[in-house]
Amino acid sequence: MSKNKIDTSFEQCMKCTVCTVYCPVVAVNPDYPGPKQAGPDGERYRLKNPLFYDETLDLCLNCKRCEVACPSNVKIGDIIQSARLKYGTHKPKLRDYILANTDVMGSLATTMAPVVNFTLGLKPVKSVMDAVLAVDHHRTFPKYAGQKFETWFKRHALKKQDTYNNKVSYFHGCYANYNHPKLAKDFVKIMNAIGYGVNLLEKEKCCGVALISNGFKDQAQKQAELNLSSIRKAVARGEKVLTTSSTCTFTMRDEYEHILGLDNADVRDSINLATKFIYELVDAGEIVLKFKEDYVKRIAYHTPCHMEKLGWALYSTSLVRMIPGVNFMMLDSQCCGIAGTYGFKKEHYQDSQKIGEGLFKQIIDSQLDMVATDCETCKWQIEMSTGVPVENPISIIADALDVEATVKANQK
Amino acid sequence: MKFDTIIIGGGLSGLVAGIDLSRKGQKCLIVSSGQSALHFFSGSFELCSLADNPYEGIATLGAEHPYSKIGAESIADLSAKVKPLFKEVGITLKGVKDANHWRITPMGVLKRAWLTMDEYGTVPADGVMPWKKVAVLNIDGFLDFHTSYIAAGLEAKGVECSVHAISMPELERLRMNPTEMRSTNIAKTLTGDLIGALAARINEYAHDVDAVLMPAVVGLTSSTDVVKLKEKVDRPLHFIATLPPSVPGIRIQMMLKKHFQKLGGVYMLGDSVVSGEFEGGKLKSIKTNNHGDTEFKADNFILASGSFFSKGLASDIDGVYEPIFGLDVDSLDVRSEWYERNLFDAQPYMSFGVATDNEFHVKKNGERIENVYATGSVLSGFHPMKQGCGAGVSILSALYVSSLLKTIR
Ligand SMILES: Cc1cc2nc3c(=O)[nH]c(=O)nc-3n(C[C@H](O)[C@H](O)[C@H](O)COP(=O)(O)OP(=O)(O)OC[C@H]3O[C@@H](n4cnc5c(N)ncnc54)[C@H](O)[C@@H]3O)c2cc1C
Ligand code: SF4
Ligand code: SF4
């Protein structure tokens, strides 16, 4: 789709209201007009007169569950997000800037991690954030690690990567870089064990998902272009670009084109979730994974909204199920309510928790050791709301992997 | 990725096939583009509405009809399995095997039906009205349910009706926007703690009547609210079908899907099968929209992609075609013959569909595809409306094909 083309898929709408059934916001907030009205119905009016734009569209989580359900293939979520960026009149607040710029905040915070973690956790600081910035005081900011993944990688892993013939590139994203380098290290550990070297991209910026949802379109576009240019270089070297976050993957594959109007068709298929890439290698018989016998856990998988939209939960769950000691359970696919930075905002906190209620209850009732999920914000939300630990499938595989046996099995 | 059976389309037919095959130990994948015809469901499954006894009606059908391909003996066997199957899923159906009863349409007309969801009001096979006096209630401002039609229809049959509209403050917001006052939105509101308040409003009109009839606007995700409401209302409470979307139909769709997943099946919603790789008279693999280059392989495939409405069939100026694989279809070459002048006659195009042999193997360029079967409304040779056999064909063709495929231990 070219940059300014109007998405006319709204004309396909047959008013069946099926989308409304599956919208998590409609279920909890009577002020939200719902996908049919906010999307295809509203678009008709907005095209006639932008004054018809309605600020309640900010209540949309951009979870795309409406799109997945629509029998007529209307791009409801895309229509709503594009309308917010085009017609939205309220100025983003300082709070929105802080929440949206995950990587700026990340670089600042990493250097001062102990101080920042300490301050963000303090009661008085939380109530100031609540009052001044409207970040809900129930939230704990994800902790910042003392050393960025990138720094660790350059110091401890980079050299070794040249010893592998097969190569992939890694888009680590903000979360694995600043908050949870263990995930990125786990990824490198698995890839190396199956005989793949890891390259970082020449330059990497936050995928931009939070910028899009907080109304910073120009900055999102700039960062997207920079990422695409780095990705193109990796693809030109013959490398796939792997990620460990369903949201980054979805944003770069679909939102870059649908919301930001960038042409990514040449590299779209090369941007892949690590679990999908690894599963397909196993499935094709090209690699073998060997697991520890003493890794015994009851694990349930939560399908993040963007994973539901990608339709890829199958790969992550199939991988986790390969671990012999895992007693696996699939949770009902429903939104956890956090939707990136949405649930951090004071005005959304109540809705956010109410949306996730059903999911939390199922998790608490299921006597789990752990929940597996491919999205970092789902992890925060579920851990905060249930107390059950949540891990990325990549970390679970890495912890259960018998590295020595795997390396041996994959030596050709 | 490899499965025992891959099913294209996750409506009634695809899900029944998936559940039955999963019970036999098969590893199944269902790929489904969007939601299905169940979102428009009346609450009643039709087997054959041509006669009081559905099996007598079935005996009169021509050789091209899917029932004739299944054969009378298998029809009898398989139809006996339907009620228990839905019971297992968590849906209670009423009705007996060999006598149609009557359902009440949103227009207030009685129509033959085979099995009906327990919560709906029905009239027994003999046609004798079960009530002398009823209260017909609507939700204030809900336009997809016409109490006047229902009351007129019932009064013509000698039932005394009193008509009332009830309002609930919680629904006021929906009422501000008439396009949002839809059955599903009402059901999303009228749940949990509000069921008690709703029952109290209903009870204001539940004196000296034999039953209370109201639109099917409760119980979107489970029957818990329905059971609770029935308990709290002083007189027997029955639902009548609304205009679409169908709240109970959506619940059936969700519960079938959940059950299929519980049995180990993989359901991919919002994804479309776009192409297939054929080799030596067999389908080897399929590709989907979301998964790009990834191939999904299986020993067998079931095409349950629905009719024109669900895009399992399509048409252009050259005629009717099956859009995924370009399979052979039964239709008429001359477009003017597709439609009957009289809108209320059976429309010939409704019987168009994918051509199959007696075991529902599909054909491509006249050649039988050994491992691809078609089931449900994508099939040719039947008139769901005229013969009243829509759900019956979807369920029984699915169970029949499943019975041809092997059990895996
Ligand atoms: C509006 C309507 C109302 C009806 N009401 C009743 C009733 O009340 N009682 C009754 O007995 N019968 C009724 N019928 C008859 C109906 O056909 C059957 O009851 C039954 O629900 C049909 O089920 P199905 O699974 O064959 O097809 P569908 O329900 O149409 O399901 C087909 C599925 O395949 C999917 N699909 C299509 N193409 C692809 C692709 N390329 N890749 C992946 N997925 C794909 C579609 O998205 C859809 O989910 C009704 C039919 C219609 C159209
Ligand atoms: S589900 Fe799709 S077709 Fe139906 S009302 Fe929503 S947007 Fe329109
Ligand atoms: S994207 Fe999610 S929150 Fe937004 S309208 Fe669709 S279903 Fe509702």
Side-chain angles (χ1 to χ4, degrees), chain A residues 12-20 36 40 69-72 74 76:
Chain A
Q12 302 286 321
C13 172
M14 51 178 180
K15 315 281 170 226
C16 67
T17 71
V18 164
C19 50
T20 309
K36 170 174 147 292
C70 172
S72 302
V74 179
I76 313 161

Side-chain angles (χ1 to χ4, degrees), chain B residues 358-375:
Chain B
N358 279 347
E359 289 187 329
F360 298 111
H361 290 102
V362 302
K363 296 177 207 163
K364 192 169 153 72
N365 305 322
E367 216 178 295
R368 187 182 91 129
I369 312 290
E370 237 176 275
N371 67 338
V372 183
Y373 303 82
T375 68

